């Protein structure tokens, strides 16, 4: 998780300057993203989390969108 957070943080700085990583809870990350960047930001976060390490079994990441954490699930 920590390695994925570092990669995502670097991508945010270069590709999504208006996006904010605001919370980590266990294996979940919560972001604040402008509406017009939601699809691209979601794809980037999933890509970084799924490809952070090479394993024999695939890592699968899911992403929800909502105005608060409950609605995003």
């Amino acid at each position: 998780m920590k390695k994925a957070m570092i990669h995502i943080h670097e991508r945010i700085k270069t590709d999504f300057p208006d996006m904010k990583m605001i919370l980590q809870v266990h294996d979940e990350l919560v972001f604040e993203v402008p509406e017009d960047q939601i699809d691209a930001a979601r794809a980037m976060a999933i890509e970084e989390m799924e490809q952070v390490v090479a394993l024999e079994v695939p890592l699968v990441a899911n992403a929800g969108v909502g105005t608060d954490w409950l609605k995003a699930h």
Side-chain angles (χ1 to χ4, degrees), residues 8 12 16-18 23 30-31 34-35 44-45 57 62-63 65 68:
I8 292 169
I12 288 171
F16 300 92
D18 297 327
L23 182 66
V30 179
F31 301 94
E35 272 192 58
M44 179 274 292
V57 295
N62 298 310
V65 176
D68 59 48

Side-chain angles (χ1 to χ4, degrees), residues 44-65:
M44 179 274 292
I46 289 172
E47 174 187 331
E48 291 295 343
M49 292 186 80
E50 289 183 343
Q51 297 179 11
V52 70
V53 293
L55 300 174
E56 290 186 29
V57 295
L59 289 173
V60 178
N62 298 310
V65 176

